[in-house]
Amino acid sequence: MHCYEDLVNFLSCGIILMGFWHLVHHKKTQASYGRHMGVCRPGKTIPAKLAWFLQEMPAFLIPLFLMLTSDKPFSMGKNLLLGTFCIHYFHRTFIYSLLTRGTPFPLCVMMAGGFTCSLNGFLQGHYLLHCAHFDDEWSADYRYRAGLLLFYVGMVVNIHSDYILRNLRKPGEAIYMIPTGGLFKYVSGANYLGEIVEWFGYALATWSLPALAFAVFSLCFIGPRAYYHHRFYQEKFKDYPKLRKALIPFIF
């Protein structure tokens, strides 16, 4: 397949603008799912397990389809796509979605998330398979190695933090408790911090505009959510740790 460079640049800029728009639009309230459902009562809802599965699946299947239909042999771009982006969304689609104990998901939020995952899945897959050019020494480059290290460290933090949150309450319970352990010792949004680190690591390892665009989008989308989670905990629990920050240990 031919590299559609203009389309890649257009979509990358669009994703960055989407992130900034979300940052401004949700300055006072967060997207209405999870603990923030009370901010704006949704209409039709979908069970959380099904909603997460359907929402995240395009970001795994679209790059996989692009790989299977590509006539190019093994490449660094394909290796990076499989070893980072697809691994993340395999976990989100087939593991996280089945384990989550979240509340029902608004249909409109799920559809918006599914659209974003579809768009980004195509963008990352098309770029790495048909546009990216890595020299033979890229695997020894400090950006590649540091980026992969950040990605996998972030993924471990994200998965471990989700595990802590999931086990705070028994199946069927709808109460909130103070998370402890792991990076929750330092921040309220440890799961979000892990995911943000993942995507900036991915951007460093691929050294590309599409990956950087998605990293910026993720920061704009889930960074503020970490802040609102932090504020939620502070308002709900009088004994909430006073030295714990929202997203960045010791700073914010």
Side-chain angles (χ1 to χ4, degrees), residues 30-249:
Q30 283 297 290
S32 186
Y33 68 93
R35 70 193 63 192
H36 302 290
M37 288 274 275
V39 174
C40 175
R41 286 293 175 186
K44 185 174 179 59
T45 59
I46 307 295
K49 294 180 188 294
L50 179 61
W52 279 108
F53 177 80
L54 294 176
Q55 173 183 289
E56 305 291 298
M57 184 170 55
F60 174 72
L61 291 183
I62 291 175
L64 191 63
F65 174 78
L66 292 175
M67 276 189 281
L68 293 175
T69 56
S70 174
D71 56 359
K72 288 188 176 182
F74 176 83
S75 65
M76 176 60 75
K78 184 178 289 187
N79 182 39
L80 277 168
L81 188 61
L82 273 172
T84 54
F85 192 84
C86 287
I87 281 182
H88 173 90
Y89 280 104
F90 176 86
H91 172 264
R92 298 292 288 184
T93 303
F94 298 105
I95 300 176
Y96 175 83
S97 67
L98 298 179
L99 295 176
T100 186
R101 297 175 182 173
T103 54
F105 227 66
L107 178 62
C108 59
V109 174
M110 186 199 78
M111 292 179 66
F115 170 77
T116 303
C117 284
S118 299
L119 181 68
N120 190 49
F122 169 78
L123 175 61
Q124 305 301 330
H126 178 74
Y127 175 81
L128 286 176
L129 292 172
H130 303 291
C131 302
H133 297 287
F134 300 101
D135 59 42
D136 295 337
E137 304 300 320
W138 183 248
S139 61
D141 193 284
Y142 74 92
R143 291 167 293 181
Y144 174 81
R145 293 186 173 185
L148 287 186
L149 177 62
L150 282 174
F151 178 86
Y152 290 119
V153 167
M155 188 172 186
V156 168
V157 169
N158 179 248
I159 292 173
H160 181 246
S161 301
D162 283 337
Y163 170 81
I164 291 173
L165 291 173
R166 190 167 56 247
N167 287 280
L168 283 176
R169 54 191 180 190
K170 298 176 182 178
E173 286 186 336
I175 60 173
Y176 286 100
M177 301 173 66
I178 299 175
T180 58
L183 281 184
F184 283 113
K185 179 178 180 180
Y186 305 102
V187 294
S188 299
N191 51 329
Y192 297 133
L193 173 61
E195 187 164 352
I196 290 169
V197 169
E198 267 190 86
W199 294 127
F200 275 97
Y202 170 71
L204 184 60
T206 61
W207 203 249
S208 67
L209 176 60
L212 178 62
F214 185 54
V216 171
F217 174 85
S218 298
L219 177 62
C220 292
F221 189 87
I222 61 180
R225 200 164 181 85
Y227 168 75
Y228 280 96
H229 274 29
H230 183 64
R231 196 171 72 173
F232 170 88
Y233 285 127
Q234 289 177 321
E235 293 173 353
K236 188 172 182 63
F237 302 104
K238 300 304 180 184
D239 59 340
Y240 196 68
K242 297 188 182 301
L243 296 180
R244 189 179 296 187
K245 300 298 184 181
L247 184 65
I248 305 173

